[in-house]
Amino acid sequence: MAAGPFGPLNDLLALGQGGGQTPTTVPLQKPAAPPMDAVPPATNCASGAKPQPSVDGRVPAGSATDGLWCNVTLLSHQGTSGGFKVYRYVDGAGHECAYYDTALLFPANAFNLNSQGVGVAVLDMSDPRKPVQTDTLTTPPMLSPHESLNLNTKRGLLAAVNGNPASEPGMVSIFDVSKDCRHPVEDYTGLIARLGHESGFSEDGKTFYATATAYNNIAAIDVTDPKTPHVVWLGNEYSHGMQLSNDGNRAYIADPIQHSMAIFDTSEVQARKPDPQVKEISRTTWDRASIPQNAIPFSENGHPYVLEFDEYNQSTLQEGKDPDLVGAGRIIDIADEKKPVIVSNLRLQINQPAEHKQYGGDPGADGSTNGGAQGYAAHYCNIPTRVDPKLVACSFIASGLRLFDISDLAHPREVGYFVAPTQARFENGGDASDFSMSMPAFVPERHEIWFTDGTSGFYALHVADQAWPTAKSGTLGVKTKHKAKKHAKKKHRRKRHKSHTRAQHDPAFVG
């Protein structure tokens, strides 16, 4: 059936009927986990740094008027406001582009005298020191995507579903950026999902998932032909952000209502079976779980893991809960996907209950002026690759952008940070604090990270070589391991020889 401006008739009927599959649930589990200690802070800052003046992650009033940074230098700054997602894309002609949503809450930024625009900004990044805005996407879903802006790099499709802090009617926009990323071409805009807030995109670029977050509602949309998308599955499940496995057969779902991460079998949706059924495989929670934001699968030496991160604190959506219990992030071993195991935590010292309570009077720290939002807490994280990543970049809201070396997955450590110059703006309630909420993007070959701050816009940053871990500088590479083994054998033979020689002349010596 052909799609009209509001989608095919059958999709509109699905919207009105509110049907869909309700997968059978499995018991919630809470596996044993390592202590929720803060990671070692970044202290070995390159020259020219402006280090933080207090415990790791804290930004006292007036300390970051010009920003704070360690092992990160500013390449460029563009715009005056930022939202939740930043993407990098290189098209077939070699053009390099950045995309970011400009609104934390539409239409508030439209009426903000400090804002320079609305919609999704398109930047030509051929010179990362001089970004040039070449376009602005202003279809309804791009004006108010909330956290749903998503990019599939394999097919060059940029998509979003209308959203707000709760959920909005699921109008979806799809743009083709593959031919000239500087000027996206609209393929489709229509009311096709039921509700919107966040999203997921299969790696093959053929399925866009619209998630409603506050409502148990997921829509899987076939975008094989992005000009005529259609719904292939409706599910009655709560999902904040979601990520798909490389083959599309698994969904890793951050559930904000049950404060957990769920793994679903989505193979029937991926295979486009008639009346596909999704199966819940496991559901895991942890201490201090707040609002799970997203969960990104990756592998280390072929072993499967998930990087999961929470936003805000336990009191945000749970009346009477402790506002000093911050979820932050964690690495989860999913080799046994029915029994995931938490390997380590990604936490700053300011995320610990005592420090969080002690410094709750800092600008933007308690979030009380923003309905429980903001504060010293995590929001979005990202990795540069799904295969053997060594670096994690996270927006920690009032603490700014934070970088973690995960070369040793069991013992992550902070290696750098960037706190944008703090400003009193409409978005942060005039509190002169950072409002770093976006999922960062990476340019690994140049050691760059791009992200946005809600009160000041887009930043392109260069990470110092000493802070960008590699296989050799972090965990040992294959060749390095081989050399290390040979060196250890030689050292052992030399030690044995010395011990044997000394024992010949010193009967009291014990080797």
Side-chain angles (χ1 to χ4, degrees):
M1 182 179 294
F6 295 104
L9 177 61
N10 60 323
D11 293 333
L12 282 177
L13 290 175
L15 288 168
Q17 291 171 353
Q21 181 204 354
T22 303
T24 302
T25 60
V26 300
L28 178 67
Q29 54 189 305
K30 186 178 180 181
M36 299 194 77
D37 298 330
V39 302
T43 55
N44 185 26
C45 300
S47 61
K50 185 184 176 185
Q52 55 194 354
S54 185
V55 299
D56 191 28
R58 186 187 175 212
V59 183
S63 65
T65 304
D66 298 319
L68 300 171
W69 58 91
C70 172
N71 290 328
V72 176
T73 54
L74 176 67
L75 293 176
S76 59
H77 168 239
Q78 188 272 343
T80 57
S81 65
F84 301 100
K85 298 286 184 70
V86 178
Y87 290 101
R88 181 220 184 192
Y89 182 72
V90 180
D91 65 26
H95 304 120
E96 184 175 5
C97 296
Y99 306 101
Y100 72 93
D101 50 315
T102 61
L104 287 171
L105 180 61
F106 181 84
N109 67 322
F111 302 108
N112 181 1
L113 296 178
N114 297 306
S115 177
Q116 292 178 348
V118 294
V120 171
V122 180
L123 304 182
D124 181 346
M125 296 295 290
S126 54
D127 182 353
R129 295 181 181 275
K130 296 179 180 179
V132 177
Q133 187 163 346
T134 56
D135 211 339
T136 305
L137 310 183
T138 57
T139 60
M142 294 297 174
L143 284 172
S144 185
H146 203 64
E147 297 169 339
S148 73
L149 187 67
N150 217 319
L151 172 70
N152 180 267
T153 56
K154 183 173 182 178
R155 297 189 63 205
L157 295 178
L158 186 70
V161 58
N162 227 41
N164 64 17
S167 291
E168 284 191 349
M171 181 176 287
V172 172
S173 276
I174 305 170
F175 283 78
D176 185 340
V177 300
S178 63
K179 298 175 181 63
D180 186 345
C181 64
R182 301 167 300 179
H183 301 285
V185 176
E186 183 181 356
D187 278 339
Y188 173 86
T189 295
L191 187 61
I192 189 170
R194 289 190 289 190
L195 297 166
H197 177 106
E198 240 277 17
S199 69
F201 222 139
S202 63
E203 291 294 289
D204 63 10
K206 295 181 179 180
T207 313
F208 178 73
Y209 288 81
T211 63
T213 301
Y215 299 90
N216 60 338
N217 192 299
I218 304 173
I221 302 167
D222 186 315
V223 295
T224 304
D225 180 353
K227 295 181 183 297
T228 58
H230 59 279
V231 173
V232 292
W233 177 75
L234 291 172
N236 301 316
E237 284 289 344
Y238 290 103
S239 175
H240 207 168
M242 67 180 292
Q243 299 278 342
L244 285 299
S245 59
N246 291 349
D247 60 10
N249 291 332
R250 292 291 185 271
Y252 304 95
I253 289 177
D255 185 338
I257 305 302
Q258 299 186 65
H259 314 286
S260 60
M261 182 194 78
I263 302 178
F264 284 86
D265 181 341
T266 52
S267 56
E268 292 191 9
V269 175
Q270 182 68 14
R272 297 296 189 267
K273 289 190 175 183
D275 188 25
Q277 300 295 295
V278 168
K279 300 174 183 176
E280 186 171 331
I281 297 173
S282 65
R283 186 175 292 274
T284 305
T285 191
W286 43 85
D287 285 335
R288 304 184 199 171
S290 51
I291 304 175
Q293 176 67 58
N294 214 325
I296 305 174
F298 70 93
S299 63
E300 176 70 25
N301 295 324
H303 193 98
Y305 296 90
V306 164
L307 169 67
E308 191 281 338
F309 36 95
D310 293 3
E311 66 174 353
Y312 306 145
N313 63 67
Q314 284 197 351
S315 71
T316 308
L317 288 182
Q318 303 176 78
E319 187 175 352
K321 289 286 187 176
D322 191 340
D324 295 311
L325 294 185
V326 175
R330 61 209 39 82
I331 294 172
I332 304 174
D333 184 330
I334 57 167
D336 182 349
E337 59 183 3
K338 291 185 177 181
K339 294 182 178 181
V341 177
I342 297 171
V343 174
S344 59
N345 296 290
L346 300 178
R347 306 179 62 80
L348 307 175
Q349 194 64 43
I350 195 64
N351 302 142
Q352 299 300 82
E355 287 81 359
H356 195 269
K357 183 179 182 66
Q358 180 181 358
Y359 299 116
D362 287 346
D366 65 2
S368 61
T369 59
N370 295 281
Q374 207 176 358
Y376 284 132
H379 196 258
Y380 265 113
C381 296
N382 204 3
I383 48 179
T385 173
R386 286 189 172 193
V387 179
D388 299 335
K390 305 301 178 189
L391 187 68
V392 173
C394 297
S395 289
F396 265 74
I397 315 183
S399 300
L401 181 74
R402 298 283 158 163
L403 309 182
F404 302 94
D405 183 335
I406 60 166
S407 299
D408 181 347
L409 292 176
H411 303 95
R413 59 191 181 91
E414 186 186 38
V415 292
Y417 51 82
F418 179 84
V419 178
T422 52
Q423 305 176 69
R425 292 286 190 250
F426 175 86
E427 290 86 353
N428 60 8
D431 227 1
S433 63
D434 247 30
F435 214 153
S436 180
M437 303 280 278
S438 70
M439 183 186 75
F442 295 84
V443 188
E445 64 271 24
R446 298 198 302 263
H447 289 188
E448 293 175 18
I449 294 178
W450 304 345
F451 88 114
T452 60
D453 177 78
T455 63
S456 55
F458 173 88
Y459 292 86
L461 308 171
H462 180 265
V463 179
D465 291 347
Q466 68 183 44
W468 193 287
T470 63
K472 289 185 179 181
S473 65
T475 54
L476 295 175
V478 175
K479 292 183 179 179
T480 310
K481 283 182 179 178
H482 179 66
K483 290 179 180 178
K485 287 181 179 178
K486 288 178 67 178
H487 177 72
K489 287 180 179 178
K490 288 181 180 179
K491 185 176 181 181
H492 180 65
R493 285 197 296 268
R494 288 197 299 270
K495 183 178 179 181
R496 287 185 61 191
H497 174 71
K498 289 180 180 179
S499 298
H500 176 70
T501 302
R502 184 176 176 186
Q504 286 179 319
H505 298 284
D506 184 2
F509 173 75
V510 179

